Amino acid sequence: MTDQKSQSGYIGKRRVRKTRGSVRVADRIAQTLITLGGIGTIIAVSLVCVFLIWVVLPLSTSESLESPQSMALPSATRPVHVATDEYLSLGWTVTEEGLLRSFRVDSGEPIATLSLFDEGRKPTAWSIARETGHLAFGFEDGTVQLGRAEFKTEFIPEADIPPELKTLEAGQVGSFRDGIVQVTPENQFRYQRLEITLDEPVTVKEGVAIDLIDLSISTNGEVFAVLTSDAELRIARVTRRRNLLTGKVTARLREGKLAVELPAGSGKPRFLMLAGLGDSVALAWDDGRLLRYDTRNTTQPVFAEEIDVTPGDTKVTALSFLIGKTSLVVGDSKGGVSVWFRIKPEDATTPDGAVLRIAHSLPSTGTPVTSLAPSTRSRLLAAGFTNGQVNLYHVTSRQKLASSVTAQADSVDALAVGPKDDALIALSTKGISRWNIDAPHPETTLDTIFTPVWYEGYERGENVWQSSSGTDEFEPKYGLVPLVFGSIKATFYSMLFGAPLALLAAIYTSEFLHPRTKARVKPTIEIMASLPSVVLGFLAALVFAPMVEDVVPEALTAFATLPFAFLTGAYLWQLIPTPVALRLESRRSIKLLAMFLMVPAGLLLARWLGPIVERWLFAGDIKAWLNGQIGDGTGGWMILLFPLSAVATAFGLNQFVTPRMRNITSLGRIQFALLDIVKFLASCAVCVAVAWMISSVLNSAGFDPRGSFVDTYVQRNALVVGFIMGFAIIPIIYTISDDALSAVPESLRAASLGSGATPWQTAVRIIIPTAMSGLFSAMMIGLGRAVGETMIVLMAAGNTPVMDLNIFNGFRTLSANIAVELPEAVKDSTHYRMLFLAALSLFALTFVLNTVAEIVRLRFRKRAFQL
């Protein structure tokens, strides 16, 4: 800046102008503040991005098993089960002979040994529920004995603790009585012991040995299934009654039985698996043959299907259920691990309408699987092999998380995953090996987040978001695709409704409206931006959505009648005599009032035509038609094809009819206006006829749009959101577009009008191309407003994360999902970090859109300069 400047005065003297010091200081302060503000904005946005990445980054960390800790706990017989408490301090095992042993997990030191049954009474079959500790044993005399193993916890006063245990520090464990004592962080002495309760034996089939047994715990009580030595499948539901006088509890069985036809040459089955609800039983042989029975009716089980769960000559060596006892895990002699569950396809021929299908094949090792251990809280699965190798899998993500080898390098007989998924214990006849598990987010991979995943019970792989449920066996589903789809759907319909209105309004007020009227209209529209989105969402959900639900045909018809009313009014305006028209043109407020009167006229026409359209296109009931109960697809095609037919008809008129009408010079103004009205009405009839013919052809060809773009009507849907959120983005698009149009130099308007162009030709061919960069910026700002909208879509869109093109169905957006679930997400959990990933995805989506928009805007600006 030049501080001093010499200039000659009118008297010939030279005088010096000097900028005041206060002005220079203010200028420097303003320059500094603007610079700091710009840099601060860039830094703030960058820090937001960095923070989001920092929170999301742990989702990509790899899981691991620490080096195994070896403990000696020799056993003469093969252990069949191992489990620990949630603190990983006390564990217990069961052997084939019915011998139960408790031990310290940190050192393997035996705590207590208990024979569950009288001497000489040895179980022939056993089943132990990992989640609840329920026990079921079958015996040679045909009886079944149920029970439960539970960890009992109590806090012991320090006065009752032996002196040698009082020196324990927080977290340390010591043996005490028939359990252990652990010092808590609050310096309390927590005493834990294993308590075993066994019910009285119940006779299933007297004198006939029980070969196989499995137990499930349902909401209605215990259910067990047995296979007797004479090949009879029996299933029983246990009901218990307590004698009010003696306090004795007696168990009664509600049984059903079915003779099993053993396949020739296969011998007896090796495994019996009872589903968690007790509605299905599977018998499996070593060669992979599996027979499944429908046991929904306990008293009348029936055969359902036969399948082969292992390929070729591969043998089944281990079988287990995942948490919930729905997904069946098969381990084979070649080290393969596969997961099967029931689905219900439409073509199923089984009695229960379900078929067992393989859903996941986990990485193979080539060494026979000897044991399987599912987690009791997630979809983690541990597999042990004959060479002592232990693999940790996650079933949903179909990946092997970690692998290790037992310290003894001996065949793994039993496995257990810690109740908190923080440890893995492997048991063999030579001892115990323990690993600490570090697997904070095993369910999240790029595949599970962005590609279809085959979840339990689904017929095929799908993109699903469902982060929580009311049951422990729930399988979390973290697919972001439905949320991204919902965001795009909301943005599309809101821009489809709001952007044309805002742009046309800006063109009209900028180029055709009187400045005094514009001075009142523009602030009024801009005031709309002050409406809180929560208020708009409230009105959409509680007022507009129920209202539209009652007048769906009328609402759809209004999309045609409102433009028809405006255009009809414009054509009728041409019939006004020239002197009167000139006087009215000078008073533009009257013309504007006439335009506003067309809105109620269009709505009244829609109200009258709605029932007629419903009878004509939708067989008299549009909601039943949308559900596919009545009618054919012609009406749906009419909805979709009518706008395209209108555009095609208008194009044809401009190309072939309008040029010929301009050559007619023998008609006066009124006659030409009447001819114009006839042309307009004829074009409307042609538009309807063309849409009807094409719709009829498509319907005759067997194409029905129901189930795609139109389907079952839901009260809170994309149509409602598009209408309300369109009003939310209209003010910002309108005001920026109007400013861009008004910024075009008046010299361009004057030159165009002076050359004989009409105001409309000037607006379309001169003003709009020149202001295109500003108009595009307005569109992009409105797009960004729609993408990030939260409260309107949260309240008016149904908030259901579904991928459905249906305009009459709801959705859930990324922003709404964050608002709903983040307050209840546990900090640093997978759910918590996935919500931040959703935020990062929204950030990336808007960043890409804005970058592309800026490139396009600069291109438009360059072309405008060339004009």
Side-chain angles (χ1 to χ4, degrees):
M1 177 183 296
T2 304
D3 293 338
Q4 297 182 357
K5 181 168 64 174
S6 298
Q7 183 175 354
S8 298
Y10 68 94
I11 59 176
K13 292 184 178 181
R14 301 183 65 85
R15 59 180 180 179
V16 178
R17 289 185 175 179
K18 182 178 180 181
T19 304
R20 288 183 300 174
S22 60
V23 174
R24 292 201 305 269
V25 172
D27 183 65
R28 291 296 178 89
I29 293 175
Q31 183 179 5
T32 302
L33 290 177
I34 293 172
T35 303
L36 291 177
I39 296 174
T41 302
I42 296 174
I43 293 175
V45 174
S46 301
L47 287 178
V48 169
C49 182
V50 170
F51 176 73
L52 292 176
I53 295 174
W54 180 263
V55 177
V56 170
L57 198 59
L59 291 175
S60 61
T61 56
S62 58
E63 289 72 22
S64 64
L65 291 174
E66 297 182 2
S67 299
Q69 176 185 355
S70 177
M71 296 165 283
L73 188 66
S75 175
T77 56
R78 187 176 73 89
V80 296
H81 183 80
V82 60
T84 70
D85 69 323
E86 60 178 323
Y87 305 107
L88 299 178
S89 56
L90 183 63
W92 59 281
T93 66
V94 177
T95 66
E96 293 178 334
E97 297 176 340
L99 195 64
L100 186 143
R101 295 178 176 176
S102 58
F103 62 94
R104 285 177 50 175
V105 176
D106 61 339
S107 62
E109 175 187 340
I111 300 295
T113 301
L114 172 67
S115 180
L116 296 176
F117 313 107
D118 297 335
E119 186 176 353
R121 183 173 170 82
K122 179 181 177 181
T124 57
W126 48 85
S127 174
I128 303 173
R130 294 181 180 272
E131 294 89 347
T132 60
H134 282 81
L135 314 171
F137 297 95
F139 297 91
E140 191 173 6
D141 59 1
T143 60
V144 169
Q145 192 166 11
L146 305 179
R148 189 173 185 182
E150 297 180 276
F151 291 105
K152 296 294 184 179
T153 303
E154 58 181 301
F155 290 90
I156 306 297
E158 186 175 358
D160 297 339
I161 298 297
E164 63 273 14
L165 297 180
K166 293 182 179 180
T167 59
L168 294 176
E169 297 181 358
Q172 291 185 332
V173 177
S175 301
F176 180 66
R177 298 176 185 168
D178 55 349
I180 57 99
V181 165
Q182 187 174 26
V183 182
T184 67
E186 294 78 17
N187 291 320
Q188 295 176 304
F189 292 91
R190 183 176 58 229
Y191 170 58
Q192 283 188 270
R193 61 184 177 85
L194 184 66
E195 181 177 276
I196 305 296
T197 56
L198 292 175
D199 300 338
E200 293 294 324
V202 292
T203 302
V204 175
K205 191 171 185 180
E206 189 172 358
V208 181
I210 305 295
D211 286 347
L212 297 172
I213 188 172
D214 196 14
L215 172 70
S216 291
I217 310 301
S218 69
T219 55
N220 297 325
E222 298 153 304
V223 185
F224 67 85
V226 300
L227 182 70
T228 60
S229 59
D230 59 354
E232 189 173 69
L233 176 65
R234 288 176 171 259
I235 182 168
R237 293 188 179 271
V238 183
T239 56
R240 304 180 186 278
R241 293 185 179 180
R242 179 183 297 274
N243 190 309
L244 298 179
L245 297 178
T246 63
K248 183 178 180 180
V249 178
T250 58
R252 294 185 179 181
L253 305 181
R254 185 163 62 91
E255 298 180 82
K257 60 183 179 179
L258 178 69
V260 177
E261 296 183 7
L262 300 179
S266 297
K268 294 183 178 182
R270 181 179 174 185
F271 304 95
L272 183 150
M273 308 299 293
L274 175 65
L277 297 177
D279 58 348
S280 179
V281 173
L283 294 175
W285 281 258
D286 287 340
D287 60 2
R289 179 180 283 122
L290 185 144
L291 302 181
R292 191 177 67 83
Y293 298 87
D294 177 14
T295 57
R296 290 175 298 170
N297 185 346
T298 305
T299 59
Q300 294 181 345
V302 295
F303 173 77
E305 61 177 330
E306 177 180 351
I307 59 174
D308 190 355
V309 295
T310 56
D313 59 348
T314 307
K315 304 296 183 182
V316 177
T317 55
L319 210 60
S320 179
F321 276 116
L322 290 180
I323 181 175
K325 300 196 73 176
T326 297
S327 295
L328 187 65
V329 184
V330 179
D332 60 47
S333 57
K334 294 185 179 180
V337 178
S338 57
V339 181
W340 302 66
F341 51 70
R342 285 174 289 164
I343 62 174
K344 293 188 175 182
E346 294 182 358
D347 58 349
T349 58
T350 56
D352 56 356
V355 292
L356 194 64
R357 290 289 182 267
I358 183 171
H360 307 294
S361 294
L362 303 178
S364 176
T365 62
T367 304
V369 179
T370 57
S371 60
L372 297 168
S375 167
T376 57
R377 63 181 297 174
S378 69
R379 298 286 156 167
L380 286 180
L381 172 70
F385 301 86
T386 54
N387 60 355
Q389 182 177 342
V390 174
N391 288 348
L392 186 65
Y393 303 99
H394 190 269
V395 173
T396 303
S397 59
R398 306 181 298 275
Q399 60 174 332
K400 182 172 72 172
L401 304 178
S403 181
S404 185
V405 179
T406 61
Q408 299 84 11
D410 190 25
S411 178
V412 179
D413 294 325
L415 280 171
V417 178
K420 295 182 179 180
D421 287 353
D422 52 356
L424 176 63
I425 294 177
L427 192 63
S428 68
T429 55
K430 295 183 179 180
I432 301 177
S433 295
R434 171 188 167 180
W435 299 262
N436 290 329
I437 298 176
D438 182 17
H441 312 292
E443 56 271 78
T444 54
T445 64
L446 288 177
D447 286 342
T448 58
I449 295 173
F450 296 109
T451 62
V453 177
W454 198 347
Y455 296 105
E456 186 177 86
Y458 286 59
E459 292 187 20
R460 63 189 65 85
E462 295 185 22
N463 291 296
V464 182
W465 175 276
Q466 187 182 2
S467 58
S468 60
S469 180
T471 59
D472 294 334
E473 55 268 16
F474 166 70
E475 184 176 18
K477 305 169 182 66
Y478 294 123
L480 285 183
V481 175
L483 305 180
V484 175
F485 176 86
S487 298
I488 296 174
K489 186 177 181 180
T491 303
F492 172 77
Y493 284 114
S494 60
M495 292 294 291
L496 184 65
F497 176 79
L501 286 181
L503 289 177
L504 292 174
I507 294 172
Y508 179 76
T509 56
S510 174
E511 304 302 318
F512 301 98
L513 197 60
H514 193 278
R516 284 180 297 181
T517 308
K518 176 184 174 181
R520 293 191 293 268
V521 171
K522 185 178 180 182
T524 303
I525 297 178
E526 291 173 343
I527 288 175
M528 292 170 54
S530 65
L531 286 175
S533 59
V534 66
V535 174
L536 292 174
F538 175 82
L539 293 175
L542 299 183
V543 178
F544 189 71
M547 181 179 67
V548 171
E549 185 181 22
D550 295 333
V551 291
V552 176
E554 290 83 353
L556 294 177
T557 307
F559 283 100
T561 58
L562 283 173
F564 176 81
F566 274 103
L567 292 174
T568 302
Y571 282 108
L572 291 175
W573 186 272
Q574 297 180 106
L575 295 176
I576 300 175
T578 302
V580 178
L582 291 176
R583 287 197 299 270
L584 294 178
E585 289 285 349
S586 63
R587 301 179 63 182
R588 299 192 180 186
S589 58
I590 296 179
K591 191 174 183 179
L592 184 63
L593 177 61
M595 292 175 59
F596 280 122
L597 290 177
M598 291 300 102
V599 175
L603 294 177
L604 289 174
L605 184 60
R607 182 177 179 83
W608 176 67
L609 286 177
I612 299 174
V613 171
E614 186 174 26
R615 288 194 299 270
W616 177 39
L617 297 179
F618 308 115
D621 188 344
I622 189 171
K623 292 182 180 178
W625 179 88
L626 287 170
N627 288 332
Q629 301 175 12
I630 57 176
D632 55 27
T634 305
W637 286 119
M638 282 287 290
I639 295 175
L640 300 175
L641 295 177
F642 188 80
L644 298 178
S645 176
V647 172
T649 303
F651 178 79
L653 288 174
N654 290 331
Q655 290 293 319
F656 304 106
V657 180
T658 302
R660 289 174 172 79
M661 288 182 59
R662 289 173 181 169
N663 294 328
I664 301 175
T665 59
S666 59
L667 298 178
R669 181 176 180 274
I670 301 299
Q671 290 83 359
F672 195 90
L674 289 173
L675 181 61
D676 219 13
I677 292 176
V678 172
K679 180 195 73 170
F680 169 67
L681 295 177
S683 65
C684 291
V686 170
C687 175
V688 173
V690 170
W692 172 259
M693 286 188 295
I694 298 176
S695 300
S696 299
V697 170
L698 291 173
N699 181 69
S700 300
F703 297 102
D704 194 331
R706 288 176 291 185
S708 56
F709 296 99
V710 291
D711 205 343
T712 303
Y713 188 88
V714 179
Q715 185 187 82
R716 301 182 183 184
N717 53 53
L719 179 66
V720 174
V721 171
F723 184 77
I724 295 299
M725 200 154 74
F727 272 106
I729 65 175
I730 281 176
I732 191 169
I733 297 178
Y734 165 79
T735 188
I736 296 176
S737 298
D738 181 79
D739 291 342
L741 293 168
S742 300
V744 177
E746 284 295 331
S747 58
L748 294 178
R749 290 185 179 85
S752 177
L753 295 172
S755 299
T758 64
W760 175 250
Q761 290 172 329
T762 300
V764 172
R765 300 181 183 180
I766 303 298
I767 305 303
I768 293 178
T770 305
M772 185 57 72
S773 62
L775 297 178
F776 189 78
S777 297
M779 292 280 289
M780 289 301 103
I781 292 174
L783 182 69
R785 169 80 166 82
V787 170
E789 176 56 46
T790 301
M791 294 311 300
I792 294 177
V793 293
L794 179 63
M795 302 176 71
N799 204 27
T800 304
V802 295
M803 294 182 62
D804 190 354
L805 295 174
N806 179 19
I807 191 175
F808 302 119
N809 200 358
F811 50 85
R812 180 185 289 188
T813 63
L814 288 165
S815 56
N817 187 67
I818 296 169
V820 169
E821 299 190 3
L822 189 58
E824 298 183 3
V826 178
K827 189 177 184 299
D828 296 334
S829 65
T830 302
H831 182 203
Y832 176 85
R833 298 188 188 278
M834 281 301 304
L835 293 176
F836 273 85
L837 180 60
L840 183 61
S841 301
L842 186 60
F843 186 95
L845 181 64
T846 54
F847 179 80
V848 171
L849 286 175
N850 289 333
T851 302
V852 174
E854 182 64 16
I855 295 173
V856 176
R857 188 190 70 83
L858 291 176
R859 182 176 178 85
F860 281 135
R861 188 175 182 182
K862 182 178 179 181
R863 292 181 60 185
F865 277 124
Q866 293 174 353
L867 294 175

